[in-house]
Amino acid sequence: MATIEMEVSQFQVDETDFCDSVLSRFSNSIQEEHQHLCTVLGAMSQELKEQNLPTTPVTYFCTTCSSIDRLSSDPDSPTHIIDSLLTILSMVLPRISPVILKKKREYLSELVVRVFRSKSPSAASGLKCISHLLMIRESDNWSDVSQLYGLLLSFITDPHSKVRRQSHVCIHDTLQNFQGSSALAPASEGIINTFERYLLLAGGSNAAASESPKGAQEVLYILDALKECLPLMSMKSTTTVLKYFKTLLELHQPLVSRRIMDSLNVLCLDPTSEVSPEVLLELLCSLALSVSGNERIVDDITFTTRLLDVGMRKVHSLDRKICIVKLPAIFNALGDVLACEHEEALHAATEALKSLIHACIDLNLIKQGVNQITTNADMETRRSRPTIIEKLCATIESLLDYRFSTVWDMSFQVISTMFNKLGENSSYLLMGTLKGLADLQKLPDEDLIYRKQLHECIGSALGAMGPEIFLSIVPLKLEVEDLSEANVWILPILKQYTVGAHLSFFRESILNMVRLMKQKSRMLYLEGRIVSSRSYDALVYSLWSLLPSFCNYPLDTAESFKDMEKALCTALREEANLCGIICSSLQILIQQNKGILEQKIDLNGSDNSISRQRAMARYTPQVAGDNLTVLKSSAREFLSVLSGKFLKSAQDGGCLQSTIHELASVADKEIVTRFFRNTMQKLLKVTQEAANAETSRNSNTMELDNSSNGSLAVVRAQLFDLAVSLLPGLDAKEIDLLFVAIRPALRDDEGLIQKKAYKVLSIILRNCDSFLSARFEELLKLMIEVLPSCHFSAKHHRLECLYSLIVHASKCESEKRCDIISSFLTEIILALKEANKKTRNRAYDMLVQIGHACGDEEKGGKKENLHQFFNMVAAGLAGETPHMISAAVKGLARLAYEFSDLVSTTYNLLPSTFLLLKRKNREIAKANLGLLKVLVAKSQTEGLQMHLRSMVEGLLNWQDSTKNQFKAKVKLLLEMLVKKCGMDAVKAVMPEEHMKLLTNIRKIKERKERNLAANSEETRSQQSKATTSRLSRWNHTKIFSSFGPEDSEDSDAEYTDGKTLSGQQSKATLHFNSKASSSRMHKAAKSLPEDLFDQLEDEPLDLLDQHKTRSALRSSGGGHHLKRKPGLEDEPEIDSEGRLIIREGGGGGKPRREVSSSNPESEDVRSQAGSSHKSINSSIEKNRKRRKTSDSGWAYTGGEYASKKAAGDVKRKDKLEPYAYWPLDRKMMSRRPEHRAAARKGMASVVRLTKKLEGKSVSSALSSKGLRFKRVQKKSSKKKSK
């Protein structure tokens, strides 16, 4: 302690107990050095405490240095103590202030050097101390650090891997610290000198062939060090190392080459490393020449390919000029790799080519090639050599050669990347490549298995060149006489990949083709060639279907759209089938330009293709504004045509309505107002006519036809739709007028009119906030007044209106908000029980949206408001009717499913839930069991265990008092609880009288686990994919069904719906199907065969599950042949002499009687059924044949060997001897357990019969079996006669 005099209190950095931190880390280790370390450190800590010294890192540092100084002078001191002290010193140095270490650096350096020279310490810990001392140097003078650095460098080839690895790490840290200082160059030279010394030693040694040359292993050690240190060395030293690397690579030694490539990879990936680009490029070129050798290992080819990628990008960043000169050679080498057979190398070469195309090909390189091509275009013979970009494009084009046919999918990726990079210039540089791609399209499917990838590649060429240049290189050829020679396969590609085209080209070229095709179609029709005429009509439609693609960010909307106005309006008037195409095109034009002007479109979105991004980049707000000006000038004509067409359309006219909506948003206000007023005048006139017709119908006592009244209602509905389509261009005055028009329609007796009125009102409320704010109180009063007269078909749109009102009310004060929500909440809750699925779904969505509006803080809500809304819904539990109570429970379940904060609150309703279950109402029971399902599924295990006893006891006590309708659902809930909380937790709260149920659940679970473990790996992977690929979403039909698909093997699958909610059945349909299915299941259970359980050996058959029961009945042979009679299909027919009897028709047993009917009425019924009966009969016949071949196994009966004159079989000329076989059943490969069981049973019967008749002659075996058959048949006939 006297050797180092420090003011400890002045430099305390870390006040934490250093001893405790080290002991907690190493005290449990069984390694001897760690035990010594803990012993020495514990003794040191005890001594410091006895001397009342602070246990700070500085104190431990001083004590450790003093101890090392004293023990290093004693030759008899234990080595393990010095090792432990050095370890403590290496751990405490980072905790000491650099100020202290710089003051005592010279002393510490001498101390560490003395220890290394006099003793054999733990070198790893000592190297850490040396590295730390080198990094806290006071100056960059090399003489101050050379001694320590030389000592550190001497361990770079240490035979101990731990010490050697530590030296590499310390040298790396030291060089990292030397960056930017004068010490970096001599430090790097030290590594070079060591490397050269061992290279000379390895190259000049004369070792025997069986021994490795002296210095070779050390060279490998230094190469390992260079992998970490090379990027940090000086540029001069790095260049020297690269030259040695080139020489060593010529040895083709795998160990050496792999280490060199690792070092090069690290060097090229480091953006701060300094290296000579010339030397690095020369080294990469030598690697490129050797990469295509077939004798090389796959890993070496792959790694070299990736190295060429990162290396050329590094060279390009350092010196572009020398990089692009060598690019063709690198591309050729990567192309050779692409022709190899190794999958990993193929992917590496593909990614390398794509990466180099993006990084190294720039605009200057492209322009150089284009200028050279255009200059030599007029010359007959080209005198100049090809440019670099032309060489690269030639390499890319060569990827279409036949030697790449097996990897054309990857070739297409590279070619697509080149097309995207070159853009419009690809028409000069890749014209031959595009023609080659078009030639590949002509190959048959067996020669071209990558046709989809080919079309994607051609689509990239189309997006890069544009349709004008593309079609000039690969024309459609529609003018040919034989359409099979035309390139009609281009039309789908044009439709999918065209973006940024010119509308003028569509008007001048495509529409000209349309006129030509129409003329040919008309001529063929007049000639009587109807089929050919229709083919040309289909081409006309296909050409018109290109219009939306040409309207996808076109480049000349402002210049060319006005010229297309007349052609589009004419097509809208004359050709009804083009209405959807033209409407979608107009919508695309308006929406894209509005999005650019309003900055709602992300120009750099990741979903956009390169060609789309290129086209969008040309769209500035100025361009979008000019385009909208042109569209605005044409809006009047389009509105006139579309409005007239909408009123004449017999269908819904959705595309027309949306197009009118978009045009109204950009048209002049005066024009939109004029159209609106005309529409309202027509609406008033039609409404008056409808009222007069109603009055005359009521006054007339005779029964009149209601068709005219219905047509008036349809016209009124269309006028409502047309009026609301003009909403974006209307002012407040016109909106008020529209509201006045729909107000009486809300009370109309006609359901269609009510529906349209509510729809119009919902659109107004959703889009016009000012109208909603101004008439909020009036709207609330109106909604309450018209509720009694609301038609069921209008409830969906009424809920939309209520949602807008409630969302607006959420911005009001809390008391007023609660009053408004409560006034409509009962209606929303009752809508959860509506028969219409759209209404139900909208009601559920409204509850969730209102909950978010109340609870989301981003929308100004609070959690207190959410809980308040939940309590308002829970108030419905006090309803008088089961309908209201069950609807409230469903609403609570939906809120608990959506909001996790409400799960704990829902547990407070458990007593009420079990109390409601005791009312023995099926409707309430279904809803409450669904609520319990949601609670179990959404709760955390900890929260669920708190209420586990009450849930289990409540379910089981209620189950005892029911009539077994819901026992299966109760069992499912218990299975879910077992899965969540564990078998032991559920067993602890399970009543003793119900332990058998829990035992049954446990056995079923164990059986499933055993079956899963017995399945093959492929089956398990398929099952895992089937269970994990589905999305969990709300599905009220499955949650609240009485017993349906949710009660399956996987309890988590009940909230998983692979289909949309639109596919769910309505309430009435479900009720009807449940009754019908229950009666069918009851009949099937009575007629179920006894051996059916043997076929389902994997798990017991649940007779309440209609899906499993039906599949089991099908596997047993069909519904009407549950138990086939022996001797008909299962067994062959044998005569008394033991011969096999084969019927002429190929089927054993008695021939079937044909059932005919002489009743003409039945024939009339069959004739009325038409082809549907034929299809049903054919499907039944196919199923019967399939059952016959798979179940009985007598698919081949040897009918061709039957004799008409004699019994038995007859040998035929040039035929095999008579034979029959038992075919393998394809059901043995089925994933369904019942199918596999049936197949195994059939094969087992064959095996048993073979073993029973083993050793007997054929005639005796068959005769004995025939006698047995006769006895069985006689006994059965006697029983029947009795």
Side-chain angles (χ1 to χ4, degrees), residues 34-47:
H34 292 166
Q35 295 177 356
H36 290 318
L37 172 64
C38 294
T39 302
V40 173
L41 187 59
M44 187 184 299
S45 176
Q46 185 64 29
E47 182 181 356

Side-chain angles (χ1 to χ4, degrees), residues 329-395:
I330 301 299
F331 269 56
N332 289 331
L334 293 175
D336 292 337
V337 176
L338 200 61
C340 72
E341 302 175 352
H342 310 298
E343 191 73 18
E344 190 174 358
L346 293 176
H347 287 283
T350 304
E351 294 301 322
L353 285 169
K354 292 162 63 176
S355 175
L356 291 178
I357 289 172
H358 284 299
C360 300
I361 297 179
D362 52 18
L363 187 59
N364 293 329
L365 192 63
I366 297 172
K367 285 184 176 180
Q368 181 183 358
V370 173
N371 293 335
Q372 188 78 5
I373 294 174
T374 53
T375 303
N376 298 324
D378 299 332
M379 299 182 181
E380 296 181 359
T381 59
R382 178 171 177 170
R383 299 178 182 178
S384 60
R385 300 177 60 185
T387 58
I388 294 174
I389 188 65
E390 289 179 277
K391 294 179 182 178
L392 297 179
C393 292
T395 303

Side-chain angles (χ1 to χ4, degrees), residues 550-571:
F550 275 84
C551 292
N552 190 9
Y553 293 102
L555 303 180
D556 59 344
T557 305
E559 296 81 8
S560 303
F561 182 77
K562 197 67 178 176
D563 299 333
M564 292 184 60
E565 177 184 335
K566 183 178 180 181
L568 295 179
C569 291
T570 303

Side-chain angles (χ1 to χ4, degrees), residues 894-906:
R894 182 66 184 97
L895 292 175
Y897 186 87
E898 182 71 20
F899 302 98
S900 57
D901 296 336
L902 297 177
V903 174
S904 58
T905 307
T906 312

Side-chain angles (χ1 to χ4, degrees), residues 598-638:
E598 299 170 2
Q599 296 182 352
K600 293 182 179 180
I601 297 179
D602 185 12
L603 298 179
N604 299 319
S606 58
D607 296 337
N608 297 328
S609 63
I610 296 177
S611 57
R612 186 180 178 86
Q613 292 178 4
R614 191 182 296 120
M616 293 173 66
R618 301 173 182 176
Y619 265 62
T620 61
Q622 178 64 34
V623 173
D626 296 341
N627 295 341
L628 287 176
T629 302
V630 176
L631 293 171
K632 183 178 180 180
S633 64
S634 303
R636 180 178 177 277
E637 186 67 23
F638 280 110

Side-chain angles (χ1 to χ4, degrees), residues 1196-1232:
Y1196 180 77
T1197 56
E1200 57 186 292
Y1201 299 105
S1203 175
K1204 297 181 179 180
K1205 299 180 179 180
D1209 297 329
V1210 177
K1211 292 184 179 182
R1212 302 292 185 185
K1213 185 179 180 181
D1214 297 331
K1215 292 276 188 180
L1216 297 174
E1217 293 208 3
Y1219 71 95
Y1221 65 90
W1222 185 283
L1224 293 178
D1225 197 343
R1226 62 176 175 270
K1227 290 193 296 184
M1228 297 182 71
M1229 305 299 294
S1230 175
R1231 292 176 59 187
R1232 295 186 178 181

Side-chain angles (χ1 to χ4, degrees), residues 100-117:
I100 300 176
L101 296 180
K102 287 181 180 179
K103 285 185 177 182
K104 299 301 176 181
R105 180 180 176 279
E106 184 177 355
Y107 166 76
L108 289 172
S109 301
E110 294 177 357
L111 180 62
V112 174
V113 171
R114 189 195 328 151
V115 171
F116 268 97
R117 289 177 178 175

